[in-house]
Amino acid sequence: KVGGTDAAHTLDDYEEGTFSPNFGADNQGFVIGSTSSAVGKYTKIGSLVHIQLNITIANSTPTSQGLAIGGLPFSGNSSTYAYFTLGGAYPGNLSTSLWQKGVWRLDQNGVKIRMYIPDENVNKDGNQMWTGSNTEYAMQVSGTYIITI
């Protein structure tokens, strides 16, 4: 019970788990050499889902496909976008200045986050975020979004 003793104050929808973040079958922004780490954790409380993920790829090359990470555990609400800060991204020494402007944006009603530049109102590709091949790219994302229950 939270804040009272009646049924309305009962926490009855709580779940913790793991998921496997990925760049999808079409690699979503990279020609991927190998994935050395792809770990996601979530906590769901009612219609709120908090995620933490780490995905690291090696020997990979950015492409002109949109930069996106899929595999989130629940579909976002169809009427809202969710935004996650970049904190913890390791873009490497070949990164562009766009990393200072970008956020991850969850698709409406989706399970995929895309690299988004708010002041340009546009999603970005892998090769727009990096200028060439690198031995390792690591991205860590943490944030909360709303789902429909």
Side-chain angles (χ1 to χ4, degrees):
K1 306 274 183 189
V2 179
T5 58
D6 59 337
H9 291 92
T10 300
L11 180 61
D12 60 356
D13 189 5
Y14 180 88
E15 179 180 334
E16 292 181 349
T18 60
F19 64 97
S20 298
N22 61 70
F23 287 104
D26 55 0
N27 292 333
Q28 294 297 309
F30 289 96
V31 174
I32 297 175
S34 62
T35 302
S36 58
S37 174
V39 179
K41 295 181 180 183
Y42 72 88
T43 302
K44 177 182 169 291
I45 303 172
S47 63
L48 295 177
V49 177
H50 181 78
I51 61 164
Q52 294 176 295
L53 69 86
N54 176 14
I55 187 166
T56 303
I57 57 176
N59 303 313
S60 304
T61 304
T63 70
S64 60
Q65 295 174 324
L67 181 56
I69 298 173
L72 272 61
F74 299 94
S75 294
N77 184 291
S78 62
S79 62
T80 60
Y81 288 108
Y83 298 88
F84 308 100
T85 63
L86 288 178
Y90 172 70
N93 60 349
L94 300 171
S95 64
T96 68
S97 62
L98 290 175
W99 281 102
Q100 298 168 8
K101 300 178 180 181
V103 296
W104 291 102
R105 181 172 80 173
L106 176 67
D107 291 344
Q108 288 178 319
N109 205 29
V111 291
K112 187 178 291 183
I113 56 176
R114 300 178 189 277
M115 179 53 60
Y116 177 73
I117 308 297
D119 64 349
E120 297 178 18
N121 193 28
V122 66
N123 293 325
K124 290 295 183 178
D125 299 334
N127 66 357
Q128 293 170 309
M129 301 304 291
W130 287 279
T131 59
S133 297
N134 200 5
T135 55
E136 182 176 87
Y137 299 92
M139 284 143 268
Q140 296 84 32
V141 181
S142 178
T144 302
Y145 63 101
I146 299 171
I147 64 171
T148 301
I149 55 172

